[in-house]
């Protein structure tokens, strides 16, 4: 590795508010990946960047060097445009499990590398692993083999994919430098660009259950993600979507898989079906199998109603070692030992549901991790009986909690009471999708 740069001088340059060249940025990422510079030096650099900001050139160099720190999978032997979706994370966001089989059933190859739950948000890998036997840990050979066979693969991040992100993310996590758009965008896009895609759909969430709390921050992130996609020659479309209440009714790993099984039979909650059809319709369009997003949405609805998407789901579950009997018969899945209900203390309308607190409640019941070593309980979680805007009477159930940790119930009940606001007036419904952002810019979008 070249030592043409002095890391202390680069930290000083950034500390003093100057911009680094692409070469200098790339040096830092490469040297760190090879353990040629120390954690404490990169920590100082990350904080200097966080406080002084980064320009577009620095952000692009950061992403490029993280991407090139590992293998960029070559899927050119597989016919067709490969398209994936990424969500910036939410509560009850299980859409990947629906749109992956839908889009691949419509003829577009979907190479999907997902992550685990982060903080109050759930992760696709944890949800998939609630299916007995299902594995997501595989080498690249197997990854390519599965997608060649089924137009679909659902994998975890291998050590060959963007190793710099893995190191940098761990460092950001313990140096209070996670919430910075150039770092988040670089981290997300380096992994997505490495998996072998030609195009990408992004679900950028804002609101109480999202990492970006305001629409303005979410737009800034969406624009950074779309710009990076364009710089790497990948068509990228982002939607800005509302996470002020959980998506669908179920939160928790198996509970969410169960909700997806119903959705793949066309029997899902309205918000889930609407958003997953929009995202899969956009993926089908970017995969050149539909002439427009609208046509893509129609194709999504078709593969759900003719059973092709559900069959694809069964095929991939079986191919990746999962027990498809629970997918065919979800009622046969074991239940949590303890169930409790949150009953309304007043009558009126559900005015708001704080998704962050609901996500944290579900985590406390066993559905998420507080430390890396924590083991997830697949049956733990929350099933909402009401959503924002619904009428509720005194004593009626707002939600049911499921856990194998009875000692958590009291504190979680209190947390959840605080998360649900009831008012005498029906609130105005909030829009599920507010904006679209692509190479032509950001504009309002109505679903
Ligand atoms: N998800 C990622 O992959 N990286 C981030 O930095 C934040 C969310």
């Amino acid at each position: 590795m070249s030592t043409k740069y002095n890391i202390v001088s680069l930290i000083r340059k950034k500390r003093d508010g100057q911009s680094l060249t692409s070469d200098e940025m790339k040096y830092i990422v490469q040297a760190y990946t090879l353990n040629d510079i120390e954690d404490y030096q990169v920590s100082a650099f990350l904080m200097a960047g966080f406080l002084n900001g980064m320009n577009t050139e620095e952000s692009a160099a950061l992403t490029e060097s993280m991407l090139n720190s590992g293998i960029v999978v070559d899927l050119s032997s597989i016919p067709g445009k490969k398209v994936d979706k990424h969500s910036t994370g939410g509560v009850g966001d299980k859409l990947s499990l629906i749109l992956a089989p839908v889009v691949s059933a419509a003829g577009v190859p979907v190479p999907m590398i997902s992550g685990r739950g982060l903080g109050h948000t759930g992760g696709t890998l944890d949800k998939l692993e609630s299916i007995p036997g299902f594995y997501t840990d595989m080498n690249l050979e197997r990854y390519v083999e599965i997608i060649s066979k089924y137009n679909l693969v659902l994998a975890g991040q291998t050590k060959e994919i963007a190793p710099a992100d893995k190191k940098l993310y761990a460092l950001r996590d313990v140096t209070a430098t996670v919430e910075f758009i150039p770092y988040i965008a670089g981290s997300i896009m380096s992994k997505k660009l490495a998996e072998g895609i030609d195009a990408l759909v992004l679900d950028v969430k804002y609101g109480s259950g999202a990492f970006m709390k305001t629409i303005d921050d979410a737009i800034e992130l969406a624009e950074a993600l779309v710009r990076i996609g364009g710089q790497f020659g990948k068509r990228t479309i982002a939607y800005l979507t509302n996470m002020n209440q959980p998506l669908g009714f179920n939160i928790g790993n198996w509970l969410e898989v169960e909700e997806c099984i119903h959705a793949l039979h066309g029997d899902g909650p309205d918000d889930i079906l609407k958003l997953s059809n929009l995202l899969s319709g956009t993926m089908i369009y970017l995969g050149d199998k539909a002439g427009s997003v609208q046509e893509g949405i129609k194709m999504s609805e078709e593969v759900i109603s003719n059973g092709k998407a559900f069959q694809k789901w069964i095929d991939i579950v079986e191919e990746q070692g999962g027990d498809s009997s629970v997918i065919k018969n979800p009622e046969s899945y074991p239940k949590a030992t303890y169930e409790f209900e949150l009953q309304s203390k007043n009558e009126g309308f559900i005015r708001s549901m704080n998704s962050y607190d609901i996500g944290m409640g579900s985590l406390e019941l066993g559905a998420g991790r507080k430390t890396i070593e924590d083991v997830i309980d697949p049956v733990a979680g929350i099933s909402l009986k009401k959503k924002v805007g619904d009428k509720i009477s005194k004593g009626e159930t707002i939600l049911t909690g499921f856990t194998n940790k009875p000692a958590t119930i009291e504190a979680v009940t209190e947390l959840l009471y605080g998360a649900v606001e009831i008012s005498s007036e029906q609130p105005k419904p909030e829009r599920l999708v507010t904006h679209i952002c692509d190479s032509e810019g950001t504009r309002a979008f109505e679903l």
Side-chain angles (χ1 to χ4, degrees):
M1 149 111 260
S2 135
T3 49
K4 62 180 171 176
Y5 296 111
N6 175 328
I7 181 64
V8 179
S9 308
L10 297 182
I11 298 168
R12 187 177 296 116
K13 194 170 172 185
K14 197 72 223 163
R15 180 201 68 187
D16 293 343
Q18 295 173 49
S19 301
L20 265 56
T21 64
S22 293
D23 254 16
E24 288 169 334
M25 287 296 295
K26 286 177 189 167
Y27 164 76
I28 295 177
V29 175
Q30 277 175 19
Y32 186 50
T33 310
L34 296 172
N35 299 318
D36 284 345
I37 49 178
E38 302 293 337
D39 280 353
Y40 51 80
Q41 294 174 310
V42 179
S43 302
F45 175 77
L46 288 172
M47 187 56 84
F50 187 104
L51 295 175
N52 289 327
M54 282 197 174
N55 65 27
T56 312
E57 193 188 339
E58 288 172 300
S59 303
L62 179 67
T63 309
E64 194 180 339
S65 45
M66 290 205 287
L67 167 65
N68 292 328
S69 66
I71 282 176
V72 179
V73 182
D74 179 6
L75 294 178
S76 57
S77 61
I78 296 165
K81 291 233 168 92
K82 274 64 72 181
V83 188
D84 192 11
K85 179 229 62 157
H86 179 81
S87 154
T88 57
V91 177
D93 180 6
K94 67 251 334 155
L95 296 187
S96 290
L97 274 58
I98 303 168
L99 47 86
V102 165
V103 174
S104 54
V108 177
V110 181
M112 190 174 271
I113 295 185
S114 308
R116 299 202 175 276
L118 198 61
H120 65 286
T121 66
T124 300
L125 285 192
D126 298 324
K127 292 170 204 182
L128 289 169
E129 287 174 2
S130 71
I131 302 167
F134 196 101
Y135 66 84
T136 53
D137 191 11
M138 62 186 77
N139 61 27
L140 284 178
E141 224 178 355
R142 181 82 179 116
Y143 176 83
V144 176
E145 184 192 23
I146 299 176
I147 187 161
S148 311
K149 211 159 151 188
Y150 286 108
N151 252 359
L152 174 61
V153 60
L154 300 166
Q157 191 183 352
T158 69
K159 59 181 183 318
E160 297 102 327
I161 301 270
D165 172 62
K166 210 165 184 172
K167 280 194 84 177
L168 285 168
Y169 193 89
L171 201 58
R172 287 165 57 210
D173 204 20
V174 292
T175 55
T177 52
V178 169
E179 307 93 335
F180 180 51
I181 285 174
Y183 297 165
I184 297 175
S187 165
I188 291 173
M189 293 304 281
S190 61
K191 284 174 288 200
K192 288 286 133 185
L193 294 168
E195 62 184 22
I197 50 166
D198 299 298
L200 181 64
V201 175
L202 293 158
D203 180 359
V204 181
K205 301 207 170 286
Y206 65 87
S208 61
F211 287 110
M212 299 289 135
K213 300 297 176 206
T214 66
I215 292 199
D216 287 349
D217 284 348
I219 288 179
E220 202 182 326
L221 175 60
E223 289 178 346
L225 294 166
V226 168
R227 186 170 53 241
I228 294 171
Q231 280 161 348
F232 287 86
K234 314 290 176 194
R235 282 183 77 193
T236 307
I237 297 181
Y239 293 100
L240 277 292
T241 74
N242 188 316
M243 197 16 82
N244 275 326
Q245 66 173 327
L247 202 50
F249 287 96
N250 287 0
I251 303 108
N253 298 285
W254 171 256
L255 289 168
E256 295 191 37
V257 173
E258 204 176 7
E259 197 165 42
C260 291
I261 295 170
H262 295 304
L264 283 169
H265 287 303
D267 181 23
D270 211 38
D271 56 348
I272 295 269
L273 285 179
K274 265 193 175 151
L275 192 52
S276 73
N277 281 330
L278 172 68
L279 298 174
S280 42
T282 308
M283 290 171 77
I284 296 168
Y285 164 66
L286 288 179
D288 282 348
K289 295 285 175 196
S292 65
V293 171
Q294 275 316 321
E295 199 186 311
I297 292 175
K298 268 212 180 92
M299 287 172 74
S300 305
E301 289 165 348
E302 252 166 53
V303 293
I304 289 179
S305 63
N306 65 20
K308 284 188 179 163
F310 188 69
Q311 186 54 49
K312 180 68 79 175
W313 181 224
I314 298 282
D315 290 345
I316 201 71
V317 166
E318 289 176 352
E319 179 68 22
Q320 294 193 213
D323 174 2
S324 61
S325 70
V326 293
I327 305 293
K328 292 172 191 156
N329 276 309
E331 349 25 87
S332 67
Y333 201 84
K335 304 270 177 288
T337 313
Y338 300 91
E339 274 187 42
F340 63 96
E341 293 193 345
L342 197 77
Q343 280 152 353
S344 181
K345 294 177 183 169
N346 307 305
E347 74 162 40
F349 296 90
I350 308 281
R351 182 184 162 78
S352 66
M353 290 189 140
N354 186 303
S355 315
Y356 176 83
D357 288 343
I358 294 174
M360 287 309 287
S362 173
L363 181 152
E364 291 289 343
L365 295 173
R369 294 181 194 82
K370 284 197 228 164
T371 68
I372 296 171
E373 293 79 31
D374 280 354
V375 176
I376 282 192
D377 179 355
V379 295
I382 291 169
S383 185
L384 305 176
K385 303 296 166 219
K386 299 279 177 185
K387 300 273 301 230
V388 172
D390 285 350
K391 198 166 179 358
I392 188 147
S393 352
K394 192 170 172 182
E396 206 180 344
T397 302
I398 304 168
L399 59 86
T400 307
F402 302 91
T403 188
N404 288 311
K405 297 201 284 186
T408 61
I409 294 176
E410 199 181 325
V412 171
T413 301
E414 200 177 318
L415 174 73
L416 293 175
Y417 267 123
V420 181
E421 204 187 338
I422 294 176
S423 66
S424 54
E425 270 179 39
Q426 190 168 27
K428 255 177 72 183
E430 288 187 25
R431 279 167 47 193
L432 184 56
V433 183
T434 55
H435 295 80
I436 182 171
C437 172
D438 60 15
S439 57
E440 282 161 32
T442 303
R443 54 224 177 265
F445 182 89
E446 193 116 18
L447 185 57

